[in-house]
């Protein structure tokens, strides 16, 4: 009887030690790879209770400060201003707005300048141009100029032979051109004066009406336009006219570089 009681008591101690060695279901196993380990159930219950509690005055002040930091009417207006070229943080935002638009407008110009020829003597040229711009970057132009033509190198020979081989004349020129102005710029002349302008390229063809010219005239060049007022602009063109020409029985393709300046008047 005593033996049976001792055996039962020993088995009870063994089973109790095994039960105490295992973790309870309510205890969370800590993660060795996570800082601070896993939160216990008591901590979770405590945090849940904190969430249900009303926010303090400090928390309400922080929330109100966060709401004030959001975009307001003034920041929205500032963003719209940036699209017009306002500087923020030292950097330019958006694209500069043009104060002069050419689209669907006509330009009537008066031009004049210097005419330098390969085969003939340098002279002057003057005339006018009419342009139409179907878009802001592309335009179509008709240029008409008048230039006196002569060959001054022949004067020394004519003084001996008393014969004139090249007759001076007046050359009329009509050129149809396509204009492309991809670059819009601003020029600062004084602290208060900033003028908008365009850099453009031009190419075209036409005729030069003179006895020495044998065929079509081809043209290529570049230019600059400054918009002085709402309806007035200043232009400066540098163009090269290539044309077949006969001078004193010799045929050749000549380059005729012309520098033209003038004023343009805009309509519509």
């Amino acid at each position: 009887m005593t033996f049976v009681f001792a055996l039962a008591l020993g088995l009870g101690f063994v089973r109790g030690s095994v039960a105490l060695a295992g973790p309870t279901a309510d205890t969370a196993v800590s993660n060795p790879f996570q800082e601070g380990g896993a939160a216990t159930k008591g901590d979770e219950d405590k945090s849940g209770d904190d969430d249900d509690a009303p926010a303090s005055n400090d928390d309400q002040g922080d929330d109100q400060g966060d709401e004030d930091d959001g975009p307001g009417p003034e920041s929205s207006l500032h963003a719209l201003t940036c699209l017009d070229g306002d500087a923020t943080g030292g950097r330019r935002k958006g694209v500069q707005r043009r104060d002069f638009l050419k689209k669907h407008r006509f330009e009537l110009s008066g031009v004049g300048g210097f005419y330098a020829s390969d085969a003939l003597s340098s002279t002057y040229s003057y005339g006018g141009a009419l342009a139409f711009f179907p878009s802001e970057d592309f335009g179509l132009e008709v240029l008409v100029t008048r230039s006196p033509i002569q060959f001054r190198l022949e004067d020394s020979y004519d003084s001996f032979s008393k014969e004139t081989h090249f007759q001076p004349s007046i050359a009329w020129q009509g050129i149809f051109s396509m204009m492309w102005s991809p670059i819009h710029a601003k020029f600062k002349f004084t602290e208060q004066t900033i003028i908008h302008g365009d850099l453009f390229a031009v190419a075209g063809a036409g005729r030069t009406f003179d006895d020495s010219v044998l065929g079509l005239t081809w043209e290529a060049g570049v230019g600059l336009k400054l918009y002085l007022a709402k309806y007035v602009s200043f232009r400066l063109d540098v163009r090269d006219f290539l044309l077949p020409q006969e001078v004193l029985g010799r045929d050749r393709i000549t380059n005729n570089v012309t520098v033209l300046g003038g004023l343009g008047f805009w309509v519509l």
Side-chain angles (χ1 to χ4, degrees):
M1 193 67 179
T2 304
F3 175 77
V4 174
F5 178 76
L7 180 61
L9 182 62
L11 292 175
F13 280 119
V14 172
R15 290 181 180 178
S17 62
V18 172
L20 292 175
T24 62
D26 295 335
T27 303
V29 179
S30 61
N31 186 358
F33 300 101
Q34 181 179 0
E35 294 183 359
T40 64
K41 182 178 179 181
D43 295 335
E44 292 177 355
D45 295 338
K46 185 177 180 181
S47 63
D49 295 337
D50 293 338
D51 293 338
D52 296 336
S56 63
N57 294 332
D58 295 336
D59 295 336
Q60 293 177 359
D62 295 338
D63 295 339
Q64 185 177 2
D66 296 337
E67 293 177 358
D68 294 339
D69 293 337
E74 294 181 2
S75 61
S76 299
L77 293 176
H78 181 70
L80 293 176
T81 306
C82 289
L83 295 178
D84 293 338
D86 184 25
T88 303
R91 293 184 297 174
R92 186 64 62 184
K93 298 284 245 178
V95 179
Q96 287 289 324
R97 183 174 55 186
R98 301 187 183 190
D99 62 349
F100 189 93
L101 299 178
K102 306 185 298 295
K103 185 177 180 180
H104 296 163
R105 300 182 68 181
F106 288 89
E107 180 190 19
L108 181 62
S109 305
V111 295
F114 183 75
Y115 187 99
S117 176
D118 282 348
L120 301 176
S121 301
S122 299
T123 182
Y124 60 89
S125 179
Y126 62 92
L130 177 63
F132 173 72
F133 291 84
S135 67
E136 193 63 28
D137 296 334
F138 291 94
L140 304 174
E141 181 190 66
V142 176
L143 174 68
V144 178
T145 58
R146 181 180 184 272
S147 304
I149 291 181
Q150 53 183 335
F151 188 50
R152 295 191 184 92
L153 294 178
E154 191 186 20
D155 295 342
S156 58
Y157 298 100
D158 294 343
S159 60
F160 292 100
S161 61
K162 304 300 181 181
E163 296 180 0
T164 302
H165 298 280
F166 186 87
Q167 294 292 337
S169 61
I170 300 295
W172 287 89
Q173 194 171 61
I175 304 295
F176 177 79
S177 306
M178 298 183 64
M179 307 178 70
W180 179 43
S181 52
I183 301 177
H184 182 77
K186 294 195 302 183
F187 300 89
K188 182 178 179 182
F189 293 94
T190 64
E191 292 295 333
Q192 293 79 20
T193 305
I194 297 178
I195 298 179
H196 289 245
D198 284 329
L199 299 175
F200 64 90
V202 61
R207 287 298 303 267
T208 300
F209 300 96
D210 186 76
D211 294 338
S212 62
V213 179
L214 304 178
L216 290 176
T217 299
W218 301 92
E219 167 215 34
V222 295
L224 167 67
K225 286 187 180 181
L226 298 178
Y227 303 108
L228 306 178
K230 186 175 182 180
Y231 298 104
V232 181
S233 61
F234 170 78
R235 60 183 294 168
L236 180 64
D237 303 6
V238 179
R239 310 192 184 196
D240 185 13
F241 299 97
L242 296 111
L243 50 93
Q245 201 165 19
E246 179 184 0
V247 178
L248 300 178
R250 181 183 178 184
D251 300 343
R252 57 181 299 190
I253 301 295
T254 61
N255 292 276
N256 302 272
V257 179
T258 305
V259 179
L260 297 173
L263 294 176
F265 300 92
W266 296 82
V267 295
L268 298 182

